[in-house]
Amino acid sequence: MSEDTGGPLRVLIVDDQALMRAGFRALLDAEDGIEVVGEAADGRAGLELARLHTPDIALVDVQMPVMTGIEATRAIAADPLLNGVRVVILTNYGLDEYVFEALRAGAAGFLLKDTEPAELLRAIRVAANGDALLSPAITRRLIGAFVARPPDRSTAPGFETLTRREREVSALAARGLTNEEIAAHMVISPFTAKTHISRAMVKLGARDRAQLVVFVYESGLVTPGGPGRGPSPS
């Protein structure tokens, strides 16, 4: 049960390093409002535990035996019964191509394993609220490194159905702006910004905000390091 319904956020830890799992569990168990529902040492076991416990958040390592974190993320994202599970990828490397592949597969974001405890706790709550962990500068560098390629509109069909406003908010989200920052930039309310983003996600079939951002870059609506293309009329 999530905090939305009054219960604690339920977290699953999936990492092949026992010491790393123990460290995460100790931190999370000490935090009010968060409950660790299970641990797994490989992606397949993590997927089975996700199906058993349906956690709010799954902290998943990228490189693991039996089934990688990317494969586990893709399987979780494809399972309708796990629609509410948000995968946060854990990595030792800031610019790891596997991380971008995981975002494309459906992860809600990623964190470095040496993230400060307070940032990890904040990130769990951010992901549980349906937001993407795409604000840190290191994430923008990762996107710039692995999406700097010719646009591939076939990866995200449906962009032609977006209104001008939906394209604009999607482009701003891809820059790492929060709903509040988007609202200030566009002189609209945060609720309106969130509504535009939600509608864009539905039209594009994006599972969450992180996947929307991936689609935006892959479509060429925004290019890494450069301004977004001007939105077309609705």
Side-chain angles (χ1 to χ4, degrees):
M1 180 183 296
S2 72
E3 288 184 323
D4 289 340
T5 54
L9 286 175
R10 306 171 72 253
V11 179
L12 171 66
I13 302 169
V14 187
D15 194 302
D16 62 339
Q17 297 179 4
L19 188 59
M20 190 65 64
R21 295 197 307 274
F24 283 130
R25 176 180 275 277
L27 172 65
L28 298 177
D29 279 343
E31 182 71 9
D32 290 338
I34 295 179
E35 175 189 359
V36 176
V37 296
E39 299 179 24
D42 64 72
R44 187 175 301 281
L47 176 61
E48 292 173 355
L49 285 179
R51 288 170 173 161
L52 178 64
H53 297 293
T54 56
D56 300 298
I57 299 293
L59 298 176
V60 179
D61 188 20
V62 172
Q63 296 175 306
M64 293 182 292
V66 185
M67 175 184 282
T68 69
I70 296 171
E71 293 169 335
T73 299
R74 188 174 292 114
I76 289 173
D79 190 335
L81 297 179
L82 300 179
N83 186 55
V85 179
R86 294 290 173 260
V87 177
V88 176
I89 293 295
L90 300 169
T91 178
N92 287 314
Y93 310 103
L95 291 178
D96 187 335
E97 185 169 7
Y98 293 114
V99 177
F100 181 76
E101 292 301 323
L103 289 174
R104 183 185 286 116
F110 82 98
L111 288 171
L112 296 179
K113 287 188 175 182
D114 62 358
T115 295
E116 292 293 327
E119 176 61 19
L120 173 64
L121 295 172
R122 185 196 72 82
I124 287 174
R125 298 186 189 283
V126 166
N129 286 333
D131 293 328
L133 301 178
L134 295 169
S135 294
I138 193 166
T139 308
R140 290 193 288 271
R141 291 204 304 272
L142 180 139
I143 290 175
F146 298 110
V147 195
R149 60 189 66 167
D152 182 2
R153 295 192 177 279
S154 65
T155 61
F159 265 94
E160 69 281 357
T161 68
L162 299 188
T163 67
R164 179 183 61 82
R165 283 297 208 184
E166 289 164 356
R167 289 180 181 229
E168 188 173 355
V169 297
S170 297
L172 292 173
R175 294 292 181 207
L177 273 64
T178 64
N179 288 343
E180 289 72 19
E181 291 168 337
I182 292 172
H185 181 86
M186 297 178 63
V187 196
I188 58 177
S189 71
F191 176 79
T192 300
K194 183 176 182 179
T195 298
H196 285 315
I197 288 174
S198 297
R199 289 174 177 168
M201 287 168 51
V202 170
K203 289 180 179 179
L204 298 176
R207 184 172 188 261
D208 54 27
R209 192 183 182 107
Q211 201 165 53
L212 172 66
V213 170
V214 171
F215 289 168
V216 166
Y217 276 97
E218 289 187 329
S219 72
L221 183 64
V222 169
T223 57
R229 293 190 202 166
S232 62
S234 59

